[in-house]
Amino acid sequence: MVDRRRKTIGLGDFDETSAALAKEHVEHLIGQQKRNRPPSNKTLIWLETLPIEIHDRLSALALCETRERCELPRTVLAYMRAYIESRTDWKKPENYRQSADHLETFLKRDIPLTAMTKGEAERWHRWMMDADKGPGLSPNTAGQHVKRCRQMMKEAIDDRLIESNPFKGIKIDLRSDTSKNRFVDEQMATTILDACPDQEWRTIFALARFGGLRCPSEVLRLRWSDIQWERGRFKVTAPKTERYGKGERIVPLWPELRAELDDLSTLAEPGLGCPSDAYVIRRYRDSEANLRTTFNKIVERAGVGVFPKPFMALRASRRTELERTGRFANHVLNDWFGHSGAIAETHYLQTTEADYTEATGVEHPTPLAIPSSHQRRSIPEGQPDPEGQNEGQSRGQQEAPTPIRTQKKPSKTGLLIGAYGCGSTQEYTPEDSNL
């Protein structure tokens, strides 16, 4: 009887050492079944390590309980997307969806989990950084995508769907690209602020540049009830650091920021025109809202060159600005910004023109920014523009851009002006404000 059951179970699936161990556990299960007793803890642990096929054979013979399981996808892309959907605890699942999208573009089809090799993962990594054949991502961004796929495939190992992780061991470069850093000084900040189309956008800019908030995650979560006007401070809800037990922090209500919030409060009338716990920023409630494209339009209208990672630049500029004053201890600034000193030194603090001036005593005028690609070049009167540019048009545009209504101080009794449309192909990515 024991031999027949062992043959049914398929001990030939094991190697010699494992087969001897399996024989011992199977005979124990048969003996316990005859005595109507539960298996020992040692055998229960062994059962958990068995492949699902062999475990099913044991349960069919009533030697153990049926293993409860859900049917999981057995292909790479389907498994990743199912895993992403199951992570309801993630604040930004779109980051992982984007990684899966890049992998799908490269593979061109879904493949079995067991067919994904490390070599294929290596080629995908190089493809992402190839500007000719791939999207031309930076090493940091491509490395982040590999890191996310590695995490998802680790779960597939835990589900015993694959034995090794094809993304493990790929050398990735996650160093911050300092070439994209921009310091938005006071003059540039004032220029951009005055070009904002309405009070909501002035407040969005002020929260990022003077409040140092992550945008959009922290900016869009601010409520009127979070602002303590009398105490000169406000509460910031920080989804990025929530998993570290730091989901909230208290930030000073800086004078530059308070002025903009006060003007918006006059228009919104919290407690009268809207609930007192309503969001400060009413628009862009969708997590997929594209703030960066609209912000770039504002920057261009201000006559300032568009700069990469704009919201990150605003936050980094504020940290650098406050660090230079020497008025606040490092741990205080870390508390206000919601990051560590190491993160600040790596991603935020910058060397500015003011530092060189202070060191040498030589004044050097700081341009507002790198000139915009669409800025008007000097063309003799009557001469055609060789690139087909007309005043106020971006290179390659055939129509004049949607006009923007600029006002330094919108009427406190007037309605908010709607944001203009935008035809830019640039997309907002959560990495812009990821730190």
Side-chain angles (χ1 to χ4, degrees), residues 162-211:
I162 53 176
E163 295 183 356
S164 61
N165 193 331
F167 298 93
K168 185 177 180 180
I170 297 178
K171 294 183 179 180
I172 57 179
D173 186 358
L174 299 181
R175 289 177 296 178
S176 178
D177 185 2
T178 57
S179 66
K180 294 184 178 180
N181 291 352
R182 293 293 184 275
F183 181 73
V184 182
D185 62 19
E186 185 178 351
Q187 178 189 2
M188 191 191 305
T190 301
T191 303
I192 296 173
L193 186 64
D194 289 343
C196 290
D198 56 41
Q199 191 57 43
E200 263 203 9
W201 258 107
R202 288 178 66 93
T203 305
I204 291 173
F205 179 80
L207 286 168
R209 175 57 180 84
F210 302 119

Side-chain angles (χ1 to χ4, degrees), residues 10-40:
L11 294 183
D13 296 339
F14 298 93
D15 57 38
E16 186 175 346
T17 303
S18 299
L21 180 63
K23 176 184 176 183
E24 177 185 336
H25 285 297
V26 169
E27 291 177 347
H28 170 75
L29 287 171
I30 294 173
Q32 294 298 90
Q33 183 196 46
K34 289 179 178 179
R35 300 182 184 90
N36 197 25
R37 294 179 180 177
S40 66

Side-chain angles (χ1 to χ4, degrees), residues 76-319:
V76 174
L77 298 173
Y79 181 85
M80 286 184 174
R81 299 195 190 284
Y83 175 73
I84 294 169
E85 290 300 317
S86 71
R87 293 303 302 263
T88 56
D89 57 316
W90 281 347
K91 303 299 181 182
K92 284 289 183 179
E94 54 265 34
N95 293 353
Y96 287 79
R97 294 192 190 105
Q98 191 177 57
S99 300
D101 289 343
H102 279 301
L103 184 58
E104 182 176 18
T105 303
F106 173 75
L107 294 176
K108 296 183 176 62
R109 61 186 178 86
D110 206 353
I111 62 175
L113 283 165
T114 53
M116 187 70 193
T117 64
K118 182 179 178 182
E120 194 76 346
E122 290 270 15
R123 287 187 286 275
W124 172 59
H125 182 219
R126 292 193 295 268
W127 171 83
M128 284 191 290
M129 295 182 287
D130 191 328
D132 296 326
K133 299 179 180 180
L137 305 178
S138 68
N140 181 291
T141 304
Q144 292 289 354
H145 289 310
V146 172
K147 183 179 177 181
R148 295 187 192 111
C149 288
R150 181 190 301 160
Q151 176 185 344
M152 291 188 278
M153 286 298 99
K154 181 180 180 298
E155 187 80 1
I157 294 177
D158 294 340
D159 286 328
R160 298 193 180 95
L161 299 178
I162 53 176
E163 295 183 356
S164 61
N165 193 331
F167 298 93
K168 185 177 180 180
I170 297 178
K171 294 183 179 180
I172 57 179
D173 186 358
L174 299 181
R175 289 177 296 178
S176 178
D177 185 2
T178 57
S179 66
K180 294 184 178 180
N181 291 352
R182 293 293 184 275
F183 181 73
V184 182
D185 62 19
E186 185 178 351
Q187 178 189 2
M188 191 191 305
T190 301
T191 303
I192 296 173
L193 186 64
D194 289 343
C196 290
D198 56 41
Q199 191 57 43
E200 263 203 9
W201 258 107
R202 288 178 66 93
T203 305
I204 291 173
F205 179 80
L207 286 168
R209 175 57 180 84
F210 302 119
L213 271 62
R214 296 179 178 93
C215 186
S217 62
E218 295 176 352
V219 169
L220 297 185
R221 283 174 172 79
L222 182 65
R223 299 176 184 270
W224 289 113
S225 56
D226 294 331
I227 303 174
Q228 304 174 30
W229 300 98
E230 299 79 7
R231 302 186 67 192
R233 61 191 70 180
F234 65 101
K235 181 181 73 175
V236 175
T237 301
K240 178 175 175 58
T241 54
E242 183 179 7
R243 58 179 173 175
Y244 306 115
K246 300 178 180 179
E248 296 178 354
R249 66 180 188 274
I250 303 299
V251 178
L253 194 56
W254 305 96
E256 308 96 323
L257 175 57
R258 182 174 190 134
E260 301 305 330
L261 284 170
D262 184 56
D263 285 349
L264 185 59
S265 174
T266 302
L267 288 170
E269 297 182 301
L272 296 175
C274 68
S276 58
D277 63 344
Y279 288 111
V280 172
I281 305 301
R282 299 187 191 182
R283 288 175 292 177
Y284 311 110
R285 303 314 317 167
D286 183 359
S287 62
E288 301 292 337
N290 194 328
L291 274 73
R292 188 174 74 174
T293 312
T294 306
F295 180 73
N296 284 344
K297 284 290 184 178
I298 295 173
V299 169
E300 288 184 340
R301 292 300 176 188
V304 177
V306 172
F307 45 92
K309 303 175 70 173
F311 296 117
M312 173 70 176
L314 299 180
R315 180 169 153 84
S317 297
R318 186 55 166 173
R319 175 64 197 251

